[in-house]
Amino acid sequence: MFLTITATGTPERPATDLGFLLHKHPEKAQVFSTSYGKAHVLYPEADAQRCTAALLLEVDAVALVRRGKGKGRGGAPDAALAQYVNDRPYAASSLLAVALSGVFSSAMRGVCTARPDLPAQPRSLRIEVPALPARGGPDLVRGLFEPLGWAVTAEPVPLDVQFPEWGDSRYVRLVLESEALTLAEALRHLYVLLPVLDDAKHYWVSSEEVDKLLRAGEGWLAEHPEQKLITSRYLSRRWSLTRQAMERLELVRLAEADDSEVEDIDNAVEAESEAEEKPTPLAVQRRDAITAALKASGAARVLDLGCGQGQLVQALLKDPAYTEIVGVDVSMRALTIAGRRLKLDRMGERQASRVQLFQSSLAYTDSRLKGYDAAVLSEVIEHLDLPRLPALEYAVFGAARPRTVVVTTPNVEYNVRWESLPAGHVRHGDHRFEWTREEFRSWAGAVAERHGYGVEFVPVGPDDPEVGPPTQMALFEISTAGMKSSVNDEKEAKAA
């Protein structure tokens, strides 16, 4: 990953002033460690007439993956390979933007202790980026940089010069030239717009990114004609952060128009004295949806398969309609915690007769699971490796065959709405996969058909019109044909 900054000088203002502004001596080649590799700063040329500073970022692809710590969507082989084989080491992206802010932090802030007069002086600058991802093409590159006072050259890079019929890649060779901008302004433009053109970031975008955007965009972003696109892409299209940034930018624009301070405008309403109502946690919404489904099914004897620490068992015990509740988990530690939660050692005899906890693996058939009205698999299937799902399917739907089965699992499409979830990561480190709505419906439909069940799907949590609900729930009910088949199987087994 490579970028050069060239300054042209005069006898009164030599080009080597660039060394003072960048706080990097032209006669030295320096190396800086980053979280993702090494950043080299060197000067290919440095005299009074022309001075060029180069930033070379060597990205360690393995370190980049390890820092990510996520398993992606299902860990498919092609996805795993793409973590290591990609354009990150070669094309300008948020990695280069972060390196710019780290290596040239003082220059970006407009600070020069040795020569305090230099940062405010406009310079003759030329910036070159040999390989820049441009999702939107050269027209978008010009649309972003030209309003800021740059003369822009954005040459598309062909996919292969030997095969011109293949056309152009999504990369451009970028040259920016200006006589009227300061170096600090130039660096802030690059810091924001490099990841905007790539339309991706290598790190999780949190609310802190709004502050970074507004700091780097001070003096130019509020009036930029592509403000909305810049804000949305910089914040990885997270709508809540984008809205927050746009509101603050509008305040900046109004303050500038009124020649006043933002604080003077944004004071019409006192801080809220009443505590805002907190949204219901998704775990509670999921539990409520499950109990409602069980209630509607008329079940009296219920299995909680993969009961974990016993939250659902505890909720079901409060309803006397459930005469027998069994919590099953492969983890003895989880069952021990569930026992403490339920206070089994202090439970009255009548209540204790309604509840059992025992260890079992859902990858194997277990005769103790037969004969129940309903079974619940709440946030369980995604913890199994995909090759083991058929075993669970047979153990529950083929061998145990409860009349009703309730299955919930995360909707991976909704993950983009979680502001605390790093992009491309699954919700829990132990999740082996997370399915889209189509993938879940396809699996559930096939299971129902194979085992004589009907199935319907219910959203759990806010049902986003674009990405659906955070949790998807399937309600399996054994069909009449399936019931007859089950009775026949039992007769044949007894005869044998």
Side-chain angles (χ1 to χ4, degrees):
M1 213 180 290
F2 192 65
L3 175 147
T4 59
I5 304 171
T6 300
T8 303
T10 64
E12 296 78 23
R13 295 170 59 184
T16 47
D17 285 348
L18 185 64
F20 287 101
L21 288 166
L22 294 175
H23 289 244
K24 305 292 181 289
H25 199 287
E27 294 182 4
K28 295 181 180 179
Q30 296 175 266
V31 181
F32 303 87
S33 295
T34 74
S35 301
Y36 308 98
K38 295 181 179 180
H40 302 261
V41 177
L42 59 149
Y43 288 77
E45 56 183 345
D47 56 43
Q49 187 175 357
R50 186 178 170 91
C51 183
T52 299
L55 174 63
L56 172 65
L57 181 61
E58 286 187 294
V59 175
D60 183 341
V62 175
L64 185 61
V65 174
R66 287 175 177 170
R67 289 268 299 179
K69 298 180 181 177
K71 296 183 179 180
R73 297 187 178 183
D78 56 340
L81 181 62
Q83 294 181 87
Y84 296 94
V85 183
N86 52 52
D87 67 352
R88 298 299 87 177
Y90 314 107
S93 65
S94 57
L95 287 163
L96 185 59
V98 170
L100 277 172
S101 67
V103 176
F104 299 140
S105 57
S106 297
M108 189 175 292
R109 295 197 313 271
V111 174
C112 181
T113 53
R115 299 277 301 278
D117 58 310
L118 293 183
Q121 297 175 6
R123 305 213 155 256
S124 175
L125 295 173
R126 177 185 172 93
I127 294 173
E128 295 187 52
V129 183
L132 172 67
R135 298 181 188 271
D139 289 341
L140 180 59
V141 178
R142 288 187 285 269
L144 294 180
F145 283 102
E146 285 180 349
L148 300 175
W150 291 102
V152 180
T153 301
E155 298 177 355
V157 177
L159 282 170
D160 193 316
V161 294
Q162 301 297 323
F163 300 94
E165 65 273 15
W166 289 1
D168 295 327
S169 68
R170 66 182 182 91
Y171 304 92
V172 299
R173 172 181 171 271
L174 176 67
V175 178
L176 302 174
E177 296 178 291
S178 175
E179 301 284 340
L181 294 170
T182 65
L183 179 64
E185 289 172 329
L187 292 174
R188 289 196 293 266
H189 295 166
L190 292 169
Y191 177 75
V192 172
L193 297 181
L194 290 181
V196 166
L197 283 164
D198 189 25
D199 199 12
K201 283 200 170 183
H202 68 278
Y203 59 90
W204 172 242
V205 174
S206 66
S207 57
E208 294 179 356
E209 294 300 297
V210 176
D211 294 327
K212 292 180 184 178
L213 173 63
L214 296 182
R215 281 198 301 270
E218 183 178 359
W220 62 271
L221 183 55
E223 300 295 336
H224 198 290
E226 296 291 350
Q227 176 200 104
K228 187 173 181 179
L229 179 143
I230 293 170
T231 304
S232 175
R233 286 194 176 191
Y234 184 87
L235 298 171
S236 294
R237 303 179 188 272
R238 302 196 179 280
W239 64 269
S240 59
L241 298 182
T242 302
R243 182 181 61 188
Q244 178 185 341
M246 294 294 289
E247 289 172 351
R248 290 172 62 180
L249 285 168
E250 179 61 14
L251 282 173
V252 171
R253 190 188 67 78
L254 292 172
E256 290 177 350
D258 197 41
D259 196 22
S260 58
E261 297 295 327
V262 171
E263 293 77 10
D264 297 334
I265 294 179
D266 193 24
N267 64 356
V269 179
E270 295 293 335
E272 292 286 346
S273 57
E274 298 181 8
E276 293 184 6
E277 184 178 350
K278 294 183 178 179
T280 304
L282 180 58
V284 176
Q285 296 181 58
R286 187 164 49 238
R287 198 153 54 243
D288 289 346
I290 292 169
T291 55
L294 292 173
K295 195 77 172 175
S297 74
R301 303 175 66 238
V302 179
L303 295 166
D304 183 8
L305 303 176
C307 66
Q309 298 179 16
Q311 292 94 330
L312 178 61
V313 174
Q314 185 179 44
L316 295 177
L317 273 172
K318 296 175 183 178
D319 190 338
Y322 300 107
T323 59
E324 186 177 355
I325 306 157
V326 177
V328 180
D329 206 284
V330 72
S331 168
M332 281 305 301
R333 182 172 180 271
L335 292 171
T336 301
I337 295 173
R340 287 201 296 264
R341 175 188 293 275
L342 298 170
K343 300 181 175 62
L344 290 179
D345 57 338
R346 288 177 282 169
M347 190 175 285
E349 184 177 345
R350 177 179 295 182
Q351 190 79 327
S353 68
R354 297 172 58 215
V355 62
Q356 295 182 65
L357 299 177
F358 63 75
Q359 184 184 32
S360 183
S361 170
L362 299 180
Y364 305 95
T365 58
D366 189 330
S367 60
R368 293 175 296 176
L369 304 182
K370 291 184 177 181
Y372 287 86
D373 300 324
V376 176
L377 291 159
S378 178
E379 310 299 284
V380 171
I381 60 173
E382 63 274 8
H383 290 273
L384 274 70
D385 292 316
L386 285 170
R388 297 179 72 85
L389 273 185
L392 175 143
E393 174 191 330
Y394 178 74
V396 176
F397 294 91
R401 290 191 68 77
R403 186 178 71 247
T404 300
V405 182
V406 181
V407 180
T408 72
T409 192
N411 168 22
V412 72
E413 297 170 78
Y414 193 88
N415 286 1
V416 297
R417 299 292 189 250
W418 295 117
E419 294 182 6
S420 59
L421 181 66
H425 289 215
V426 291
R427 298 185 198 176
H428 189 280
D430 189 51
H431 285 187
R432 303 303 200 266
F433 62 88
E434 287 179 0
W435 274 336
T436 64
R437 288 167 290 173
E438 182 180 351
E439 289 170 330
F440 181 54
R441 286 171 180 264
S442 176
W443 174 82
V447 169
E449 184 177 354
R450 281 192 289 268
H451 299 283
Y453 284 79
V455 63
E456 62 176 299
F457 301 91
V458 178
V460 179
D463 197 357
D464 189 286
E466 294 182 4
V467 297
T471 294
Q472 42 193 341
M473 182 165 74
L475 305 178
F476 296 85
E477 288 286 343
I478 200 165
S479 64
T480 304
M483 187 72 74
K484 290 179 180 178
S485 174
S486 178
V487 170
N488 291 336
D489 289 345
E490 288 182 9
K491 288 179 179 180
E492 291 176 4
K494 287 179 180 178

